[in-house]
Amino acid sequence: MLPIERQRQIVAWLEEEETLSISEISRRLNVSEMTVYRDIKPLLEDKKITKTSRGVSLATIGHIPSNSCTNCLKELNNRHPVQIITNDQKVEQLCCPHCGLLRYRDIEKNVSQIICRDFLQNTTISGKLAYFLMDADFHLNCCQPQVLTFDSLKYAEQFQKGFGGVIFQFEQAIEEIVKRMNGNRSCECHQLGGSYVDK
Ligand SMILES: [Zn+2]
Ligand SMILES: [Zn+2]
């Protein structure tokens, strides 16, 4: 196997199994650990994979240096970011579910995963299975129309009881945002993220 083939194989395993130790990779590929280290070096440099306590895993949440939202280019400092992992294993960071959903719509065919956070528990969830609350009387101070994400309908409804709003599922939420933005590409992010505008 060529190094490039081994790299593809390692990434493919990590997609399935999340984490692999260097010794396990070396055993499976039947090459020395030195060779494995050489193979994964470019993957680490490209931030496609990351070192963990148990070996290596795909670079996802928490491993990527945060900088700016792929959709609105605002600095990422929101506590409810969204990650999109593309089919070629690039990780895109979005400032909030609003941008996450719009970005998903833009590059839908190239999306492998969209990962959101449950608003109450901060656990990670697949965007496609999440529930989205709009019009709630609670302000994230990010992009408008604002969207909050929840792991289950139960949590979304609990939050809705206190803060109002309308609950949508994935596809509906995208349609709703697009409809409300009226074909406007800018999501008012820049007007709203106060500290960003002041810089
Ligand atoms: Zn954004
Ligand atoms: Zn935002």
Side-chain angles (χ1 to χ4, degrees), residues 79-82 96-98 101 114-140 146-170 173:
R79 70 186 188 94
H80 292 281
V82 171
C96 62
H98 165 108
L101 291 175
I114 171 166
I115 301 164
C116 302
R117 279 167 190 265
D118 179 82
F119 186 73
L120 294 176
Q121 307 183 98
N122 212 23
T123 47
T124 56
I125 38 174
S126 161
K128 289 180 191 174
L129 303 174
Y131 291 86
F132 300 84
L133 184 67
M134 293 178 74
D135 301 326
D137 189 15
F138 184 97
H139 297 286
L140 278 185
Q146 169 185 282
V147 188
L148 303 176
T149 46
F150 297 89
D151 186 3
S152 66
L153 187 56
K154 194 178 100 196
Y155 289 128
E157 284 175 345
Q158 278 173 3
F159 194 85
Q160 187 189 34
K161 272 198 194 108
F163 295 92
V166 191
I167 299 169
F168 297 96
Q169 285 185 283
F170 187 69

Short mmCIF file of all heavy atoms in Angstrom, two decimals, residues 79-82 96-98 101 114-140 146-170 173:
data_model
loop_
_atom_site.label_atom_id
_atom_site.label_comp_id
_atom_site.label_asym_id
_atom_site.label_seq_id
_atom_site.Cartn_x
_atom_site.Cartn_y
_atom_site.Cartn_z
N ARG A 79 -21.83 30.41 22.49
CA ARG A 79 -21.71 29.11 23.15
C ARG A 79 -22.55 28.03 22.47
O ARG A 79 -22.65 26.92 22.95
CB ARG A 79 -22.00 29.22 24.63
CG ARG A 79 -23.43 29.49 24.98
CD ARG A 79 -23.55 29.73 26.47
NE ARG A 79 -24.94 29.82 26.86
CZ ARG A 79 -25.64 28.78 27.29
NH1 ARG A 79 -25.10 27.60 27.39
NH2 ARG A 79 -26.90 28.94 27.63
N HIS A 80 -23.14 28.34 21.34
CA HIS A 80 -23.89 27.32 20.61
C HIS A 80 -23.46 27.20 19.17
O HIS A 80 -24.24 27.44 18.25
CB HIS A 80 -25.39 27.56 20.74
CG HIS A 80 -25.81 27.33 22.14
ND1 HIS A 80 -26.01 26.07 22.64
CD2 HIS A 80 -25.93 28.18 23.16
CE1 HIS A 80 -26.28 26.17 23.92
NE2 HIS A 80 -26.23 27.43 24.28
N PRO A 81 -22.20 26.88 18.97
CA PRO A 81 -21.71 26.76 17.60
C PRO A 81 -22.26 25.51 16.92
O PRO A 81 -22.79 24.63 17.59
CB PRO A 81 -20.21 26.64 17.79
CG PRO A 81 -20.05 25.99 19.11
CD PRO A 81 -21.20 26.47 19.95
N VAL A 82 -22.12 25.46 15.62
CA VAL A 82 -22.51 24.29 14.84
C VAL A 82 -21.29 23.89 14.02
O VAL A 82 -20.54 24.75 13.57
CB VAL A 82 -23.70 24.63 13.91
CG1 VAL A 82 -23.98 23.52 12.93
CG2 VAL A 82 -24.95 24.93 14.74
N CYS A 96 -23.69 29.87 14.94
CA CYS A 96 -24.93 29.51 15.64
C CYS A 96 -25.78 28.66 14.69
O CYS A 96 -25.46 28.54 13.52
CB CYS A 96 -25.67 30.77 16.07
SG CYS A 96 -26.18 31.81 14.69
N PRO A 97 -26.86 28.06 15.21
CA PRO A 97 -27.69 27.21 14.34
C PRO A 97 -28.22 27.93 13.11
O PRO A 97 -28.36 27.32 12.04
CB PRO A 97 -28.83 26.78 15.27
CG PRO A 97 -28.23 26.82 16.63
CD PRO A 97 -27.29 28.00 16.62
N HIS A 98 -28.47 29.20 13.24
CA HIS A 98 -28.92 29.98 12.07
C HIS A 98 -27.93 29.82 10.91
O HIS A 98 -28.30 29.44 9.80
CB HIS A 98 -29.05 31.46 12.48
CG HIS A 98 -29.16 32.42 11.34
ND1 HIS A 98 -30.33 33.05 11.01
CD2 HIS A 98 -28.23 32.84 10.44
CE1 HIS A 98 -30.12 33.83 9.96
NE2 HIS A 98 -28.87 33.73 9.59
N LEU A 101 -27.59 26.10 9.58
CA LEU A 101 -28.63 25.64 8.66
C LEU A 101 -28.49 26.29 7.28
O LEU A 101 -28.66 25.63 6.27
CB LEU A 101 -30.02 25.94 9.25
CG LEU A 101 -30.39 25.10 10.48
CD1 LEU A 101 -31.71 25.55 11.05
CD2 LEU A 101 -30.44 23.61 10.15
N ILE A 114 -23.82 17.27 10.15
CA ILE A 114 -23.99 18.58 10.75
C ILE A 114 -24.25 18.37 12.24
O ILE A 114 -25.11 17.59 12.61
CB ILE A 114 -25.10 19.42 10.05
CG1 ILE A 114 -25.40 20.69 10.86
CG2 ILE A 114 -26.36 18.62 9.78
CD1 ILE A 114 -26.21 21.73 10.09
N ILE A 115 -23.43 19.02 13.03
CA ILE A 115 -23.47 18.76 14.47
C ILE A 115 -23.86 20.02 15.23
O ILE A 115 -23.22 21.06 15.10
CB ILE A 115 -22.09 18.27 14.96
CG1 ILE A 115 -21.71 17.00 14.20
CG2 ILE A 115 -22.12 18.00 16.47
CD1 ILE A 115 -20.26 16.64 14.32
N CYS A 116 -24.92 19.90 16.00
CA CYS A 116 -25.40 21.03 16.80
C CYS A 116 -25.24 20.68 18.28
O CYS A 116 -24.82 19.59 18.62
CB CYS A 116 -26.88 21.28 16.54
SG CYS A 116 -27.28 21.60 14.83
N ARG A 117 -25.60 21.65 19.13
CA ARG A 117 -25.58 21.39 20.57
C ARG A 117 -26.97 21.59 21.16
O ARG A 117 -27.67 22.52 20.79
CB ARG A 117 -24.62 22.35 21.25
CG ARG A 117 -23.21 21.88 21.12
CD ARG A 117 -22.23 22.94 21.50
NE ARG A 117 -20.92 22.50 21.12
CZ ARG A 117 -20.08 21.87 21.96
NH1 ARG A 117 -20.42 21.67 23.21
NH2 ARG A 117 -18.92 21.47 21.54
N ASP A 118 -27.30 20.70 22.07
CA ASP A 118 -28.56 20.86 22.77
C ASP A 118 -28.47 22.11 23.63
O ASP A 118 -27.53 22.27 24.41
CB ASP A 118 -28.85 19.64 23.64
CG ASP A 118 -30.15 19.80 24.40
OD1 ASP A 118 -31.21 19.55 23.81
OD2 ASP A 118 -30.11 20.21 25.58
N PHE A 119 -29.44 22.98 23.49
CA PHE A 119 -29.37 24.27 24.15
C PHE A 119 -29.36 24.15 25.68
O PHE A 119 -28.72 24.94 26.36
CB PHE A 119 -30.54 25.14 23.70
CG PHE A 119 -30.44 26.53 24.23
CD1 PHE A 119 -29.50 27.40 23.70
CD2 PHE A 119 -31.24 26.96 25.27
CE1 PHE A 119 -29.37 28.68 24.20
CE2 PHE A 119 -31.11 28.24 25.77
CZ PHE A 119 -30.18 29.10 25.23
N LEU A 120 -30.07 23.18 26.21
CA LEU A 120 -30.14 23.05 27.66
C LEU A 120 -28.96 22.28 28.23
O LEU A 120 -28.42 22.62 29.26
CB LEU A 120 -31.45 22.35 28.06
CG LEU A 120 -32.72 23.14 27.77
CD1 LEU A 120 -33.94 22.31 28.11
CD2 LEU A 120 -32.73 24.44 28.56
N GLN A 121 -28.57 21.21 27.57
CA GLN A 121 -27.55 20.33 28.15
C GLN A 121 -26.17 20.50 27.56
O GLN A 121 -25.21 19.96 28.06
CB GLN A 121 -27.97 18.88 27.96
CG GLN A 121 -29.34 18.60 28.44
CD GLN A 121 -29.65 17.13 28.28
OE1 GLN A 121 -29.53 16.37 29.22
NE2 GLN A 121 -29.97 16.75 27.06
N ASN A 122 -26.13 21.20 26.41
CA ASN A 122 -24.86 21.40 25.72
C ASN A 122 -24.23 20.11 25.20
O ASN A 122 -23.04 20.05 24.93
CB ASN A 122 -23.88 22.15 26.62
CG ASN A 122 -22.96 23.04 25.79
OD1 ASN A 122 -23.30 23.42 24.67
ND2 ASN A 122 -21.79 23.34 26.31
N THR A 123 -25.04 19.08 25.05
CA THR A 123 -24.54 17.84 24.45
C THR A 123 -24.54 18.00 22.93
O THR A 123 -25.28 18.83 22.40
CB THR A 123 -25.46 16.66 24.81
OG1 THR A 123 -26.80 17.08 24.58
CG2 THR A 123 -25.30 16.25 26.25
N THR A 124 -23.73 17.24 22.25
CA THR A 124 -23.71 17.35 20.79
C THR A 124 -24.78 16.42 20.19
O THR A 124 -24.99 15.32 20.68
CB THR A 124 -22.34 16.99 20.20
OG1 THR A 124 -22.02 15.67 20.66
CG2 THR A 124 -21.28 17.95 20.64
N ILE A 125 -25.40 16.91 19.15
CA ILE A 125 -26.46 16.14 18.50
C ILE A 125 -26.35 16.31 16.99
O ILE A 125 -25.85 17.32 16.52
CB ILE A 125 -27.86 16.64 18.93
CG1 ILE A 125 -27.88 18.17 19.06
CG2 ILE A 125 -28.34 15.97 20.18
CD1 ILE A 125 -29.26 18.73 19.33
N SER A 126 -26.86 15.32 16.28
CA SER A 126 -26.89 15.44 14.83
C SER A 126 -27.98 16.45 14.47
O SER A 126 -29.11 16.34 14.90
CB SER A 126 -27.21 14.09 14.21
OG SER A 126 -27.67 14.30 12.89
N GLY A 127 -27.61 17.44 13.65
CA GLY A 127 -28.56 18.49 13.28
C GLY A 127 -29.82 17.93 12.65
O GLY A 127 -30.91 18.44 12.89
N LYS A 128 -29.66 16.87 11.88
CA LYS A 128 -30.81 16.35 11.17
C LYS A 128 -31.85 15.75 12.10
O LYS A 128 -33.00 15.58 11.73
CB LYS A 128 -30.36 15.31 10.14
CG LYS A 128 -29.64 15.96 8.99
CD LYS A 128 -29.19 14.95 7.97
CE LYS A 128 -28.25 15.61 6.99
NZ LYS A 128 -27.69 14.64 6.05
N LEU A 129 -31.41 15.39 13.30
CA LEU A 129 -32.34 14.78 14.26
C LEU A 129 -32.77 15.77 15.33
O LEU A 129 -33.53 15.43 16.24
CB LEU A 129 -31.68 13.57 14.94
CG LEU A 129 -31.19 12.49 13.98
CD1 LEU A 129 -30.44 11.42 14.75
CD2 LEU A 129 -32.35 11.88 13.22
N ALA A 130 -32.25 16.99 15.25
CA ALA A 130 -32.52 17.96 16.31
C ALA A 130 -33.88 18.64 16.11
O ALA A 130 -34.49 18.53 15.05
CB ALA A 130 -31.42 19.01 16.33
N TYR A 131 -34.32 19.33 17.15
CA TYR A 131 -35.51 20.16 17.07
C TYR A 131 -35.09 21.62 17.19
O TYR A 131 -34.18 21.94 17.96
CB TYR A 131 -36.49 19.78 18.18
CG TYR A 131 -37.07 18.41 17.93
CD1 TYR A 131 -36.39 17.27 18.37
CD2 TYR A 131 -38.24 18.26 17.20
CE1 TYR A 131 -36.87 16.01 18.09
CE2 TYR A 131 -38.74 16.99 16.92
CZ TYR A 131 -38.04 15.87 17.37
OH TYR A 131 -38.52 14.63 17.08
N PHE A 132 -35.71 22.45 16.42
CA PHE A 132 -35.28 23.84 16.30
C PHE A 132 -36.39 24.78 16.77
O PHE A 132 -37.53 24.65 16.33
CB PHE A 132 -34.93 24.14 14.84
CG PHE A 132 -33.83 23.26 14.33
CD1 PHE A 132 -34.10 22.00 13.83
CD2 PHE A 132 -32.51 23.69 14.38
CE1 PHE A 132 -33.08 21.17 13.38
CE2 PHE A 132 -31.48 22.87 13.93
CZ PHE A 132 -31.77 21.60 13.43
N LEU A 133 -36.02 25.65 17.68
CA LEU A 133 -37.00 26.59 18.21
C LEU A 133 -36.71 28.00 17.71
O LEU A 133 -35.60 28.51 17.87
CB LEU A 133 -36.96 26.54 19.75
CG LEU A 133 -37.99 27.40 20.48
CD1 LEU A 133 -39.40 26.87 20.24
CD2 LEU A 133 -37.70 27.44 21.97
N MET A 134 -37.72 28.58 17.08
CA MET A 134 -37.56 29.96 16.60
C MET A 134 -38.55 30.84 17.34
O MET A 134 -39.53 30.36 17.89
CB MET A 134 -37.82 30.01 15.09
CG MET A 134 -36.76 29.26 14.30
SD MET A 134 -37.08 29.25 12.52
CE MET A 134 -36.66 30.94 12.10
N ASP A 135 -38.28 32.13 17.35
CA ASP A 135 -39.17 33.13 17.97
C ASP A 135 -39.22 33.03 19.49
O ASP A 135 -40.13 33.60 20.10
CB ASP A 135 -40.63 33.02 17.45
CG ASP A 135 -40.71 33.21 15.96
OD1 ASP A 135 -39.92 34.01 15.43
OD2 ASP A 135 -41.57 32.56 15.34
N ALA A 136 -38.33 32.31 20.11
CA ALA A 136 -38.36 32.24 21.57
C ALA A 136 -37.95 33.60 22.14
O ALA A 136 -37.16 34.32 21.53
CB ALA A 136 -37.42 31.17 22.07
N ASP A 137 -38.46 33.89 23.31
CA ASP A 137 -38.14 35.17 23.93
C ASP A 137 -36.85 35.00 24.74
O ASP A 137 -36.83 35.07 25.96
CB ASP A 137 -39.30 35.57 24.85
CG ASP A 137 -39.11 36.99 25.36
OD1 ASP A 137 -38.27 37.71 24.80
OD2 ASP A 137 -39.80 37.35 26.33
N PHE A 138 -35.78 34.73 24.02
CA PHE A 138 -34.50 34.47 24.66
C PHE A 138 -33.45 34.82 23.63
O PHE A 138 -33.52 34.33 22.50
CB PHE A 138 -34.38 32.99 25.03
CG PHE A 138 -33.12 32.68 25.77
CD1 PHE A 138 -33.12 32.61 27.16
CD2 PHE A 138 -31.93 32.48 25.09
CE1 PHE A 138 -31.95 32.34 27.84
CE2 PHE A 138 -30.76 32.22 25.78
CZ PHE A 138 -30.78 32.15 27.16
N HIS A 139 -32.49 35.65 23.99
CA HIS A 139 -31.61 36.14 22.94
C HIS A 139 -30.16 35.68 23.04
O HIS A 139 -29.49 35.92 24.01
CB HIS A 139 -31.73 37.66 22.82
CG HIS A 139 -33.12 38.02 22.41
ND1 HIS A 139 -33.57 37.81 21.12
CD2 HIS A 139 -34.18 38.45 23.12
CE1 HIS A 139 -34.85 38.13 21.06
NE2 HIS A 139 -35.25 38.53 22.26
N LEU A 140 -29.77 34.97 22.02
CA LEU A 140 -28.39 34.47 21.94
C LEU A 140 -27.42 35.58 21.58
O LEU A 140 -26.23 35.42 21.69
CB LEU A 140 -28.28 33.43 20.82
CG LEU A 140 -28.70 32.01 21.05
CD1 LEU A 140 -28.38 31.19 19.82
CD2 LEU A 140 -27.98 31.44 22.26
N GLN A 146 -33.19 34.08 14.83
CA GLN A 146 -32.47 33.21 15.75
C GLN A 146 -33.08 31.81 15.81
O GLN A 146 -34.29 31.65 15.75
CB GLN A 146 -32.51 33.84 17.13
CG GLN A 146 -32.04 32.92 18.24
CD GLN A 146 -32.23 33.58 19.59
OE1 GLN A 146 -31.45 34.42 19.97
NE2 GLN A 146 -33.26 33.18 20.30
N VAL A 147 -32.21 30.83 15.95
CA VAL A 147 -32.67 29.44 16.06
C VAL A 147 -31.96 28.80 17.24
O VAL A 147 -30.75 28.95 17.40
CB VAL A 147 -32.29 28.65 14.79
CG1 VAL A 147 -32.93 27.27 14.81
CG2 VAL A 147 -32.69 29.39 13.53
N LEU A 148 -32.72 28.10 18.08
CA LEU A 148 -32.10 27.33 19.17
C LEU A 148 -32.29 25.85 18.86
O LEU A 148 -33.29 25.46 18.28
CB LEU A 148 -32.79 27.65 20.51
CG LEU A 148 -32.81 29.12 20.94
CD1 LEU A 148 -33.61 29.28 22.23
CD2 LEU A 148 -31.40 29.65 21.11
N THR A 149 -31.32 25.03 19.26
CA THR A 149 -31.44 23.60 18.94
C THR A 149 -31.59 22.76 20.20
O THR A 149 -30.99 23.05 21.24
CB THR A 149 -30.19 23.09 18.20
OG1 THR A 149 -29.03 23.59 18.86
CG2 THR A 149 -30.18 23.54 16.76
N PHE A 150 -32.36 21.70 20.06
CA PHE A 150 -32.60 20.79 21.18
C PHE A 150 -32.48 19.34 20.72
O PHE A 150 -32.81 19.00 19.59
CB PHE A 150 -34.00 21.03 21.76
CG PHE A 150 -34.16 22.40 22.34
CD1 PHE A 150 -34.58 23.45 21.54
CD2 PHE A 150 -33.85 22.65 23.66
CE1 PHE A 150 -34.69 24.74 22.05
CE2 PHE A 150 -33.96 23.93 24.19
CZ PHE A 150 -34.39 24.97 23.39
N ASP A 151 -32.03 18.54 21.67
CA ASP A 151 -31.79 17.13 21.46
C ASP A 151 -33.10 16.37 21.22
O ASP A 151 -33.17 15.44 20.43
CB ASP A 151 -31.12 16.63 22.74
CG ASP A 151 -30.66 15.21 22.64
OD1 ASP A 151 -30.82 14.62 21.57
OD2 ASP A 151 -30.15 14.69 23.63
N SER A 152 -34.13 16.75 21.95
CA SER A 152 -35.39 16.01 21.84
C SER A 152 -36.55 16.98 21.84
O SER A 152 -36.42 18.13 22.27
CB SER A 152 -35.53 15.06 23.03
OG SER A 152 -35.67 15.83 24.22
N LEU A 153 -37.67 16.48 21.36
CA LEU A 153 -38.88 17.30 21.33
C LEU A 153 -39.25 17.69 22.76
O LEU A 153 -39.70 18.80 23.02
CB LEU A 153 -40.01 16.50 20.67
CG LEU A 153 -41.31 17.27 20.42
CD1 LEU A 153 -41.06 18.50 19.57
CD2 LEU A 153 -42.32 16.36 19.74
N LYS A 154 -38.99 16.78 23.69
CA LYS A 154 -39.33 17.04 25.09
C LYS A 154 -38.61 18.30 25.60
O LYS A 154 -39.23 19.19 26.18
CB LYS A 154 -38.92 15.83 25.95
CG LYS A 154 -39.52 15.84 27.34
CD LYS A 154 -39.12 14.60 28.12
CE LYS A 154 -37.98 14.94 29.06
NZ LYS A 154 -37.27 13.78 29.58
N TYR A 155 -37.31 18.38 25.36
CA TYR A 155 -36.56 19.55 25.82
C TYR A 155 -37.02 20.82 25.10
O TYR A 155 -37.13 21.88 25.71
CB TYR A 155 -35.06 19.37 25.60
CG TYR A 155 -34.44 18.35 26.51
CD1 TYR A 155 -33.67 17.32 26.01
CD2 TYR A 155 -34.63 18.43 27.89
CE1 TYR A 155 -33.11 16.37 26.84
CE2 TYR A 155 -34.07 17.48 28.73
CZ TYR A 155 -33.31 16.45 28.20
OH TYR A 155 -32.76 15.52 29.03
N ALA A 156 -37.26 20.68 23.82
CA ALA A 156 -37.70 21.85 23.05
C ALA A 156 -39.02 22.37 23.62
O ALA A 156 -39.21 23.57 23.79
CB ALA A 156 -37.84 21.49 21.58
N GLU A 157 -39.90 21.43 23.95
CA GLU A 157 -41.22 21.83 24.46
C GLU A 157 -41.11 22.43 25.87
O GLU A 157 -41.81 23.38 26.20
CB GLU A 157 -42.18 20.64 24.46
CG GLU A 157 -42.67 20.34 23.07
CD GLU A 157 -43.54 19.08 22.99
OE1 GLU A 157 -43.54 18.28 23.96
OE2 GLU A 157 -44.19 18.90 21.96
N GLN A 158 -40.20 21.87 26.67
CA GLN A 158 -40.01 22.43 28.01
C GLN A 158 -39.53 23.88 27.92
O GLN A 158 -40.02 24.76 28.62
CB GLN A 158 -38.98 21.61 28.79
CG GLN A 158 -39.58 20.38 29.42
CD GLN A 158 -38.52 19.48 30.04
OE1 GLN A 158 -37.33 19.82 30.04
NE2 GLN A 158 -38.95 18.34 30.55
N PHE A 159 -38.59 24.10 27.03
CA PHE A 159 -38.06 25.45 26.87
C PHE A 159 -39.14 26.37 26.30
O PHE A 159 -39.31 27.51 26.72
CB PHE A 159 -36.84 25.42 25.94
CG PHE A 159 -36.05 26.68 25.98
CD1 PHE A 159 -35.07 26.89 26.94
CD2 PHE A 159 -36.30 27.70 25.06
CE1 PHE A 159 -34.34 28.08 26.98
CE2 PHE A 159 -35.57 28.88 25.10
CZ PHE A 159 -34.59 29.08 26.05
N GLN A 160 -39.89 25.83 25.36
CA GLN A 160 -40.96 26.60 24.73
C GLN A 160 -42.01 27.05 25.75
O GLN A 160 -42.55 28.14 25.65
CB GLN A 160 -41.62 25.72 23.65
CG GLN A 160 -42.65 26.41 22.79
CD GLN A 160 -43.40 25.40 21.93
OE1 GLN A 160 -43.63 24.27 22.34
NE2 GLN A 160 -43.75 25.79 20.73
N LYS A 161 -42.27 26.20 26.76
CA LYS A 161 -43.23 26.56 27.80
C LYS A 161 -42.82 27.85 28.49
O LYS A 161 -43.64 28.67 28.82
CB LYS A 161 -43.33 25.44 28.84
CG LYS A 161 -44.34 24.41 28.47
CD LYS A 161 -44.76 23.56 29.68
CE LYS A 161 -45.51 22.32 29.21
NZ LYS A 161 -44.74 21.10 29.36
N GLY A 162 -41.52 27.98 28.74
CA GLY A 162 -41.05 29.16 29.45
C GLY A 162 -40.81 30.36 28.54
O GLY A 162 -41.02 31.50 28.95
N PHE A 163 -40.35 30.10 27.33
CA PHE A 163 -39.88 31.21 26.50
C PHE A 163 -40.65 31.39 25.19
O PHE A 163 -40.32 32.26 24.40
CB PHE A 163 -38.39 31.06 26.20
CG PHE A 163 -37.54 31.15 27.43
CD1 PHE A 163 -37.19 30.02 28.14
CD2 PHE A 163 -37.11 32.39 27.88
CE1 PHE A 163 -36.40 30.11 29.28
CE2 PHE A 163 -36.32 32.49 29.02
CZ PHE A 163 -35.97 31.35 29.73
N GLY A 164 -41.64 30.55 24.99
CA GLY A 164 -42.45 30.69 23.78
C GLY A 164 -41.71 30.25 22.53
O GLY A 164 -40.66 29.61 22.60
N GLY A 165 -42.25 30.57 21.38
CA GLY A 165 -41.60 30.22 20.12
C GLY A 165 -42.29 29.08 19.40
O GLY A 165 -43.28 28.53 19.87
N VAL A 166 -41.74 28.75 18.25
CA VAL A 166 -42.31 27.70 17.40
C VAL A 166 -41.23 26.64 17.15
O VAL A 166 -40.08 26.98 16.88
CB VAL A 166 -42.74 28.28 16.02
CG1 VAL A 166 -43.57 27.27 15.26
CG2 VAL A 166 -43.49 29.58 16.20
N ILE A 167 -41.62 25.36 17.25
CA ILE A 167 -40.65 24.27 17.07
C ILE A 167 -40.71 23.73 15.63
O ILE A 167 -41.79 23.52 15.09
CB ILE A 167 -40.94 23.13 18.06
CG1 ILE A 167 -40.80 23.65 19.49
CG2 ILE A 167 -40.01 21.94 17.82
CD1 ILE A 167 -41.31 22.68 20.54
N PHE A 168 -39.52 23.52 15.07
CA PHE A 168 -39.44 22.95 13.72
C PHE A 168 -38.48 21.76 13.72
O PHE A 168 -37.59 21.69 14.56
CB PHE A 168 -38.87 23.97 12.73
CG PHE A 168 -39.73 25.18 12.56
CD1 PHE A 168 -39.47 26.34 13.27
CD2 PHE A 168 -40.79 25.18 11.66
CE1 PHE A 168 -40.26 27.47 13.11
CE2 PHE A 168 -41.59 26.30 11.48
CZ PHE A 168 -41.32 27.45 12.21
N GLN A 169 -38.65 20.90 12.72
CA GLN A 169 -37.64 19.88 12.49
C GLN A 169 -36.68 20.40 11.43
O GLN A 169 -36.88 21.47 10.86
CB GLN A 169 -38.28 18.57 12.10
CG GLN A 169 -38.89 17.90 13.33
CD GLN A 169 -39.43 16.54 13.02
OE1 GLN A 169 -40.50 16.41 12.45
NE2 GLN A 169 -38.68 15.52 13.38
N PHE A 170 -35.63 19.63 11.19
CA PHE A 170 -34.51 20.09 10.37
C PHE A 170 -34.90 20.80 9.08
O PHE A 170 -34.63 21.98 8.89
CB PHE A 170 -33.60 18.90 10.11
CG PHE A 170 -32.32 19.26 9.43
CD1 PHE A 170 -31.35 19.98 10.11
CD2 PHE A 170 -32.07 18.87 8.13
CE1 PHE A 170 -30.16 20.31 9.49
CE2 PHE A 170 -30.89 19.19 7.51
CZ PHE A 170 -29.94 19.91 8.18
N ALA A 173 -37.04 23.86 9.47
CA ALA A 173 -36.32 25.00 10.05
C ALA A 173 -35.53 25.73 8.96
O ALA A 173 -35.52 26.96 8.91
CB ALA A 173 -35.39 24.52 11.16
#
